[in-house]
Amino acid sequence: MTETAIKTRWHPTRTNLFAGGLVAAGLLLTNTSWWFLLLTAAGAFGPGVLRELGWLRDKDEFQRLAAYRAGYHAYVTSGLVAFFLVAFFRSSETTIDYPQELATLFLALLWFTWFLSSLIAYWGPQRAAARILSSFGCVWFVFAVVSNIGAEWTGWAALLLHPLLAAPFFALAWLSGRWPRVTGVLLLAVSGFFVQFFGMFRQDHLAIVNQAVTFVLFIGPLVGSGIALVAAGAGQAEDDDETETKKKPAQKG
C-alpha cells in the first residue's frame, strides 16, 4: 500500500460526517442530561455495528483491516488494564467510591486506543506520530492558557509556565520524521517522567482511577506514538540490513 494510495483513502464520507455530528452533539448535550451521551455512543459504535450486520458497506479491504487491527489493539490494552485493576482490588481493601469514574476510564481507554491505532494504520507511524503530537500539543496549550485566565487567574508565572507542558509534544513531533526510533525511545522516557512528575498512581485509594483517565488523555499520545515509532524504526533497520545484504553479492559479481 503506497503513501499516495493511503492518502486517497483518508477522506471523510457521509457516514463519517453523520457519525461525527452525533458524537459532538452527544458530548455537548451532556450539560443538560447525561443520557445524551448515548448519542455519542451511537455515533462512535453505530456504524461499526451496521457494518458487521452487512447493512453498511462503505469500507474497502484496507480500511476494514485497519479497523479490525485497531479493535484488537483496543481489546489487548483494555484487557491488560482490566486484569491489573482486578488484581489491585482483590489484593487490597480498597473500595470503589465512584464507579462512574471506573466506567469513564475504560471508555476513554477503549476509544482512545482504537482511534490512535486507526490513525497510525492510515498515515503510517511517523506521519501519524507527528500529527497526533502536534494536535495534542495545541489542545493542551490552549487548555493551559484558558485554565489560567479569567476566574482561574493565579498570576503571570502560572500563565507563562503551564503552557510549557505542551512543548514536548511539538519538539518530538518535529523529531519523529527524522529519527523515528530515537524519538520513540524519548517519547517513552518523557512519558515516564510525566508519570513521576504528576505523582500518578501513588495513592492507595481510588484517586488512581481519576489519574488514569488523565494518563490516557495526556500521556497516552506519548506512549502510543513512542511504541509505534520504536516498532517502525526497528522495521526500517531490518529493511536496511536486507538491502545491504542483497547489494553485497551484486558488488562482488
Side-chain angles (χ1 to χ4, degrees):
M1 181 65 63
T2 63
E3 185 177 348
T4 304
I6 292 176
K7 282 183 180 178
T8 59
R9 295 179 185 276
W10 183 252
H11 62 276
T13 63
R14 291 181 180 178
T15 303
N16 298 140
L17 295 174
F18 182 72
L22 285 178
V23 169
L27 292 175
L28 292 173
L29 291 172
T30 53
N31 291 326
T32 58
S33 172
W34 278 101
W35 283 109
F36 283 111
L37 191 64
L38 295 179
L39 283 177
T40 300
F45 300 106
V49 173
L50 295 178
R51 291 184 189 107
E52 290 302 304
L53 292 174
W55 297 348
L56 183 63
R57 302 177 184 274
D58 63 337
K59 288 192 174 185
D60 58 24
E61 183 179 355
F62 169 76
Q63 292 171 323
R64 289 195 301 269
L65 181 61
Y68 289 147
R69 183 179 176 85
Y72 181 71
H73 289 166
Y75 161 74
V76 170
T77 304
S78 301
L80 289 173
V81 173
F83 272 107
F84 169 79
L85 289 178
V86 169
F88 174 77
F89 288 124
R90 293 286 186 179
S91 61
S92 64
E93 297 180 356
T94 304
T95 58
I96 301 178
D97 297 327
Y98 304 100
Q100 68 270 21
E101 299 298 340
L102 191 59
T104 302
L105 166 62
F106 276 99
L107 180 59
L109 184 66
L110 183 72
W111 200 359
F112 179 82
T113 303
W114 178 87
F115 182 68
L116 185 65
S117 179
S118 297
L119 293 182
I120 291 173
Y122 277 101
W123 289 333
Q126 289 174 271
R127 177 170 294 181
R131 291 181 177 179
I132 290 168
L133 292 171
S134 297
S135 298
F136 272 85
C138 292
V139 170
W140 280 101
F141 178 83
V142 172
F143 175 78
V145 172
V146 172
S147 298
N148 286 280
I149 59 177
E152 303 295 332
W153 174 262
T154 58
W156 284 103
L159 180 61
L160 294 176
L161 292 176
H162 288 179
L164 292 179
L165 290 173
F169 288 102
F170 296 113
L172 293 169
W174 180 81
L175 289 174
S176 63
R178 290 156 180 81
W179 302 286
R181 180 182 277 182
V182 174
T183 306
V185 173
L186 288 175
L187 281 167
L188 296 177
V190 170
S191 302
F193 167 76
F194 276 130
V195 170
Q196 292 295 322
F197 180 77
F198 289 116
M200 292 181 174
F201 313 126
R202 292 180 186 173
Q203 286 83 354
D204 295 328
H205 50 79
L206 204 63
I208 64 169
V209 173
N210 289 327
Q211 292 180 334
V213 175
T214 303
F215 178 89
V216 170
L217 298 178
F218 182 72
I219 311 296
L222 299 177
V223 175
S225 300
I227 294 173
L229 287 173
V230 169
Q236 207 171 53
E238 290 178 2
D239 291 341
D240 292 341
D241 291 341
E242 289 180 4
T243 303
E244 289 298 325
T245 303
K246 291 178 180 179
K247 285 181 179 179
K248 287 180 181 179
Q251 291 174 352
K252 289 181 180 179

